[in-house]
Amino acid sequence: LFGHAHDAMIAADGVLVASGTATLEAALLKRPMVITYKMSAISWWLAKRKQYMPYVGLPNILSGKFVVPELLQDDATPENLAQALLNLVANKQAVRELEERFTEICAILAAGLIRLMACQSRQLSGDHGESCLHFPPDQRRHEPPKRRRDTRS
């Protein structure tokens, strides 16, 4: 399938995908998915200790909630992954809801891209007033979790 990942995703009823940009690709293609990832025990421990976000998949991060199952580390067994994907694909209502959510994600990303392009265009024409990466609070989908301050001295 090297070089044909999009074709494979489009043809599939469901996709088992490693966490990363491939999850966004699957969402943009509106494919139901189960996200998985395994890393070294020490890396996992460090990531959990930092508590950046409760989810790792881009569709969940962009939604601000779990919309796609994530099976990580010890939960990512072949049996669990197969069962999760089969359960998802068999649930037609869940598939419809995912497709609707993925359509919303596409619209959010498109709106952000249009705004960024307009801002870049203004800056190229000499208007340097507003940062292109600043989004007013009313245009954010959700607030990211607050990072804990390191209280060690």
Side-chain angles (χ1 to χ4, degrees):
L1 292 176
F2 184 73
H4 301 282
H6 285 120
D7 296 334
M9 283 189 211
I10 291 168
D13 292 329
V15 180
L16 177 62
V17 62
S19 178
T21 55
T23 63
L24 185 57
E25 290 178 56
L28 294 175
L29 294 170
K30 299 184 179 100
R31 304 313 311 144
M33 72 184 91
V34 171
I35 298 170
T36 187
Y37 200 77
K38 279 190 168 193
M39 62 178 67
S40 72
I42 189 72
S43 295
W44 178 252
W45 180 80
L46 288 170
K48 292 298 278 186
R49 188 169 181 274
K50 291 288 185 182
Q51 297 179 340
Y52 289 118
M53 289 192 160
Y55 12 76
V56 299
L58 288 171
N60 294 336
I61 292 169
L62 291 170
S63 297
K65 62 182 180 180
F66 282 102
V67 295
V68 175
E70 295 182 355
L71 295 173
L72 311 172
Q73 292 304 100
D74 294 337
D75 293 332
T77 65
E79 297 81 14
N80 289 348
L81 295 169
Q83 192 62 58
L85 192 55
L86 288 172
N87 290 347
L88 178 60
V89 171
N91 185 338
K92 300 303 179 198
Q93 179 63 30
V95 169
R96 276 191 298 278
E97 289 172 7
L98 269 180
E99 289 172 351
E100 289 172 8
R101 183 64 197 132
F102 292 160
T103 299
E104 292 172 7
I105 288 173
C106 289
I108 290 166
L109 293 174
L113 180 59
I114 290 168
R115 185 178 188 285
L116 184 60
M117 289 170 52
C119 183
Q120 290 289 330
S121 176
R122 284 193 308 274
Q123 286 189 343
L124 287 172
S125 67
D127 178 0
H128 299 288
E130 179 186 356
S131 166
C132 291
L133 298 179
H134 171 73
F135 286 86
D138 62 328
Q139 292 183 4
R140 292 184 190 143
R141 196 70 182 144
H142 66 282
E143 290 292 325
K146 300 278 188 245
R147 291 180 74 175
R148 293 186 329 190
R149 287 185 49 207
D150 189 354
T151 57
R152 293 177 289 177
S153 299

